[in-house]
Amino acid sequence: MNFRRALVLAATVFLATGPVVAQEPVWHGGISTIGELKHKDGFARFDYVNPEAPKGGELKLSETGTYDTFNPILSKGEAATGVTTLVFDTLLKSAEDEITASYGLLAEGVSYPDDFSSATFRLRAEAKWADGKPVTPEDVIFSFDMSKEHNPLLSNYYRHVVSSEKTGERDVTFRFDEKNNRELPSILGQFPIVPKHWWEGQDAKGNKRDISRTTLEPVMGSGPYKIASFQAGGSIRFELRDDYWGKDLNVNVGQNNFGTITYTFFSDNTVEFEAVRAGDVDFYRDNSASHWATAYDFPAAKDGRVVREEIENPLRATGIMQAFVPNLRREKFKDQKVREALNYAFDFEDLNRTLAHNAYQRVDSYFWNTELASSGLPEGREKEILEALKDKVPPAVFTTPYTNPVNGDPQKVRGNLRKALTLFNEAGYELRSNRLVNAKTGEPFSFEILLSNPSFERTVTPFVNSVKKIGIDARMRTVDASQYTNRVRSFDYDMIYGIWAQSLVPGNEQSDYWGSASVDRQGSKNYAGIADPAIDELIHKIIFAPNREELVATTRALDRVLLAHHYVVPLFYSKAQRVAYWNHLTHLKDLPYYGMGFPDVWWSKNAAK
């Protein structure tokens, strides 16, 4: 869910008279697609860091699932958490107190022409790999080419980048097949840069490495940490590098403070939380409202050794759609009335009361909790955009504001189940002997909800029980992390419990979420299987929006069309992230406005001991 921005330069000036005069590129230390950068070139540090934070101490983290590869660019296998962000640097680094700003990390500057037809990055002369060799343009080109070749998600994300070439001793130029896509220079700063010489070399046993395959050989990068040790699939330990080339850069001051970071992988959340209680895990994101309300009665939580916080910052710039996602590649879900009927059968109010202590809000937008969310009926520029597509969008976008059905008491539940059955009837289904069947073929309407973790089952069970009341045979299947990942990548499911996280500046990633070109591309995030010409047009308009006002209006129009098609059954979310951590971890009182800064700007009180 997330990826950055753009800035400035005129490379060629045409004079009123005389020949064309080529100008030297103008280099900028940061880029943003919204407004001016907060920090000017040469700034000392980000405002949300503690420049005096001590270095050292141990951070023990956890993950559910497992891993089977350290390869940072491959879409195969289960990538080990932390490798991409800790071991490898990128060309640019995002600022967590600005919406869409990023500043030079491996690159000291970026330039591009007024029409955004290319972007050139100049590498820092001091940028080094862990073996002391310099980071070169050849490394950047190799990383980009291999990412596009071996990762379908990145191949689509960068599909408009048609070439990369060395254009100076430390310069790499990317050329685009379209103009005025303002986001492209920014998102090119985000893919991990890997060492070409290492991947084209041999391992300790003399075997030639292959970047197209998974590997559990500790990979080498240019980032602040190295892989120190691991137990395959079970744990991985990172150590802070004393010789990290970028430790004194302004974008790194006050960051990368822990001496070691260890991830331990657990098969289920219950065992994972027991490790938190025992002090074997230092930090825990609690995604269950009921668990948050009832599970912290152990001594360390009561006496303050385990600190609990609800932090709104990370969600200030994140639009969430969490939903049951039916797969439209399955014939049974192609009818919009079927999908709408399933929403009437979901009793959010009862679930929120009985399982979540009324801690959640129902999601009613693909950009929920942001200014990009549609509401009411379209007006102004948003209405104009939709009217231009009037023959291609559902009529309801002009006449009926989107709302989720409201349940919560027996009378409302009965009414909504009747409405669900009416919609199924209109879609060609009928009840026979308490089973919902296709009126023509007699085939029962049934589906399976694929889950990756048993913790989801308590949320899904009420929905399964509800649809059974109208004769639907719904089942849950919980599989291990590797199987889940592979099945989702290949769209091998009837329905999943899915989530999309949106930035405040949607762009090229929208094609991967709901664009027609991504519907059959394995590994895309078009989980629902959406292929709609009007949605494709709206995505194109979002990518090429010339200003903020047009972007907001077009995104709201897209949101409205997505909702009107009832592609998903919206679930719920919280407006704050709940975290619990042992009190040897600490942070400044004011965290980044749009982030938690974890673990980057946190530190250990034990580091000074």
Side-chain angles (χ1 to χ4, degrees):
M1 191 194 285
N2 238 269
F3 292 84
R4 317 296 162 218
R5 312 322 116 195
L7 201 1
V8 64
L9 166 120
T12 306
V13 173
F14 293 91
L15 301 182
T17 59
V20 172
V21 178
Q23 292 187 332
E24 287 296 316
V26 178
W27 297 97
H28 297 270
I31 56 179
S32 173
T33 51
I34 293 182
E36 297 294 325
L37 289 167
K38 179 178 180 179
H39 300 287
K40 304 301 181 184
D41 290 355
F43 69 97
R45 59 178 174 84
F46 291 132
D47 295 340
Y48 51 80
V49 304
N50 175 11
E52 306 301 324
K55 304 287 186 182
E58 180 180 16
L59 175 61
K60 297 173 291 186
L61 300 176
S62 62
E63 287 286 334
T64 54
T66 186
Y67 70 89
D68 59 15
T69 183
F70 295 144
N71 189 326
I73 70 168
L74 206 59
S75 64
K76 300 176 183 176
E78 289 289 326
T81 304
V83 171
T84 302
T85 55
L86 297 176
V87 176
F88 295 95
D89 278 336
T90 50
L91 293 171
L92 305 175
K93 184 168 184 172
S94 298
E96 287 193 78
D97 61 348
E98 298 175 77
I99 295 176
T100 62
S102 50
Y103 297 85
L105 183 50
L106 285 173
E108 66 179 19
V110 59
S111 66
Y112 45 88
D114 289 338
D115 64 1
F116 297 93
S117 59
S118 66
T120 300
F121 293 84
R122 175 162 290 174
L123 297 173
R124 296 184 188 272
E126 66 270 31
K128 298 288 192 299
W129 299 108
D131 63 2
K133 294 184 178 181
V135 179
T136 66
E138 288 81 2
D139 293 318
V140 177
I141 294 167
F142 175 78
S143 302
F144 180 76
D145 290 347
M146 293 300 99
S147 294
K148 286 196 70 175
E149 180 178 347
H150 299 298
N151 190 314
L153 175 61
L154 295 179
S155 178
N156 179 66
Y157 196 53
Y158 297 116
R159 68 191 182 280
H160 294 298
V161 184
V162 295
S163 69
S164 56
E165 60 180 302
K166 181 177 179 178
T167 51
E169 182 181 0
R170 291 185 283 117
D171 296 351
V172 180
T173 297
F174 298 91
R175 304 193 189 281
F176 314 143
D177 66 359
E178 61 183 11
K179 298 179 180 179
N180 300 312
N181 188 334
R182 303 172 63 87
E183 192 183 39
L184 286 177
S186 178
I187 65 176
L188 280 165
Q190 298 161 3
F191 65 92
I193 309 301
V194 302
K196 180 180 180 183
H197 70 278
W198 190 89
W199 281 101
E200 292 185 340
Q202 297 178 337
D203 63 20
K205 296 181 179 179
N207 299 316
K208 183 173 175 57
R209 299 184 179 99
D210 185 352
I211 201 168
S212 70
R213 305 184 66 178
T214 61
T215 181
L216 284 177
E217 178 187 8
V219 289
M220 184 185 74
S222 64
Y225 289 85
K226 64 181 179 180
I227 299 173
S229 61
F230 68 96
Q231 292 182 336
S235 65
I236 178 171
R237 182 172 179 269
F238 300 92
E239 284 185 359
L240 185 64
R241 291 175 46 208
D242 291 333
D243 59 349
Y244 173 46
W245 72 272
K247 61 184 176 182
D248 295 323
L249 282 181
N250 52 4
V251 294
N252 286 330
V253 169
Q255 305 194 50
N256 307 313
N257 299 318
F258 295 98
T260 63
I261 299 177
T262 301
Y263 284 91
T264 302
F265 293 77
F266 295 89
S267 59
D268 64 68
N269 295 98
T270 301
V271 178
E272 182 182 12
F273 189 68
E274 285 304 311
V276 176
R277 286 168 54 106
D280 296 326
V281 171
D282 294 324
F283 183 95
Y284 185 72
R285 285 184 172 89
D286 200 325
N287 296 319
S288 168
S290 60
H291 188 269
W292 182 254
T294 62
Y296 293 85
D297 58 353
F298 54 97
K302 290 181 176 179
D303 64 23
R305 285 175 292 152
V306 168
V307 180
R308 296 204 293 160
E309 288 189 61
E310 296 187 31
I311 302 174
E312 295 183 3
N313 303 37
L315 299 178
R316 287 173 176 157
T318 305
I320 294 292
M321 169 53 81
Q322 182 168 251
F324 291 127
V325 186
N327 186 355
L328 274 67
R329 301 169 187 86
R330 302 283 202 262
E331 187 64 33
K332 69 186 72 179
F333 293 124
K334 289 185 181 297
D335 194 310
Q336 178 177 310
K337 292 179 180 178
V338 166
R339 304 191 300 268
E340 183 179 3
L342 293 174
N343 196 12
Y344 275 94
F346 175 57
D347 189 347
F348 161 72
E349 287 74 19
D350 184 66
L351 182 151
N352 195 33
R353 181 180 65 252
T354 58
L355 297 183
H357 298 259
N358 290 316
Y360 291 123
Q361 292 82 42
R362 185 87 191 268
V363 171
D364 58 2
S365 166
Y366 285 78
F367 301 86
W368 181 75
N369 199 35
T370 72
E371 67 168 334
L372 302 172
S374 60
S375 62
L377 292 175
E379 299 177 346
R381 180 58 184 148
E382 181 189 351
K383 185 178 181 181
E384 293 174 359
I385 292 168
L386 290 168
E387 285 178 338
L389 299 169
K390 192 169 185 177
D391 295 335
K392 299 180 181 179
V393 301
V397 302
F398 300 102
T399 62
T400 310
Y402 179 85
T403 57
N404 288 306
V406 176
N407 284 283
D409 65 55
Q411 183 176 352
K412 291 178 180 177
V413 169
R414 286 192 296 270
N416 284 328
L417 290 178
R418 283 194 296 269
K419 177 64 174 178
L421 278 174
T422 298
L423 288 166
F424 270 113
N425 291 157
E426 293 172 358
Y429 292 88
E430 63 184 21
L431 274 177
R432 295 180 188 171
S433 302
N434 293 322
R435 298 179 72 190
L436 189 68
V437 301
N438 187 297
K440 292 182 179 180
T441 67
E443 180 183 1
F445 188 91
S446 64
F447 60 88
E448 177 184 272
I449 305 173
L450 185 68
L451 302 174
S452 62
N453 193 304
S455 65
F456 292 126
E457 293 177 3
R458 66 195 305 269
T459 300
V460 178
T461 296
F463 179 59
V464 168
N465 292 337
S466 181
V467 297
K468 284 183 178 179
K469 295 176 182 178
I470 54 174
I472 296 175
D473 178 23
R475 304 171 304 281
M476 296 180 291
R477 181 186 293 272
T478 302
V479 298
D480 63 57
S482 296
Q483 184 179 353
Y484 182 83
T485 298
N486 289 331
R487 288 188 61 177
V488 171
R489 281 176 180 163
S490 59
F491 310 121
D492 180 19
Y493 52 84
D494 292 335
M495 182 181 290
I496 60 172
Y497 190 118
I499 187 170
W500 292 272
Q502 300 276 7
S503 79
L504 288 181
V505 188
N508 292 271
E509 75 289 340
Q510 301 303 303
S511 297
D512 190 62
Y513 293 170
W514 6 85
S516 297
S518 66
V519 71
D520 294 321
R521 190 184 64 253
Q522 293 197 3
S524 82
K525 293 184 179 179
N526 191 343
Y527 305 129
I530 298 169
D532 182 87
I535 288 174
D536 291 339
E537 289 189 43
L538 289 168
I539 291 171
H540 186 268
K541 288 181 66 65
I542 286 172
I543 292 172
F544 290 95
N547 52 57
R548 181 66 181 171
E549 292 73 23
E550 186 74 3
L551 177 67
V552 172
T554 310
T555 303
R556 289 175 178 171
L558 171 65
D559 184 40
R560 197 178 296 278
V561 174
L562 288 169
L563 291 168
H565 279 294
H566 299 282
Y567 287 124
V568 301
V569 178
L571 292 175
F572 46 81
Y573 215 73
S574 171
K575 293 186 177 181
Q577 286 195 0
R578 297 175 291 265
V579 297
Y581 56 91
W582 284 80
N583 65 0
H584 70 87
L585 305 183
T586 190
H587 60 78
L588 290 177
K589 178 181 178 181
D590 295 324
L591 289 168
Y593 190 79
Y594 294 115
M596 196 181 297
F598 184 84
D600 298 23
V601 305
W602 295 46
W603 67 93
S604 172
K605 296 176 184 177
N606 296 333
K609 295 182 180 179

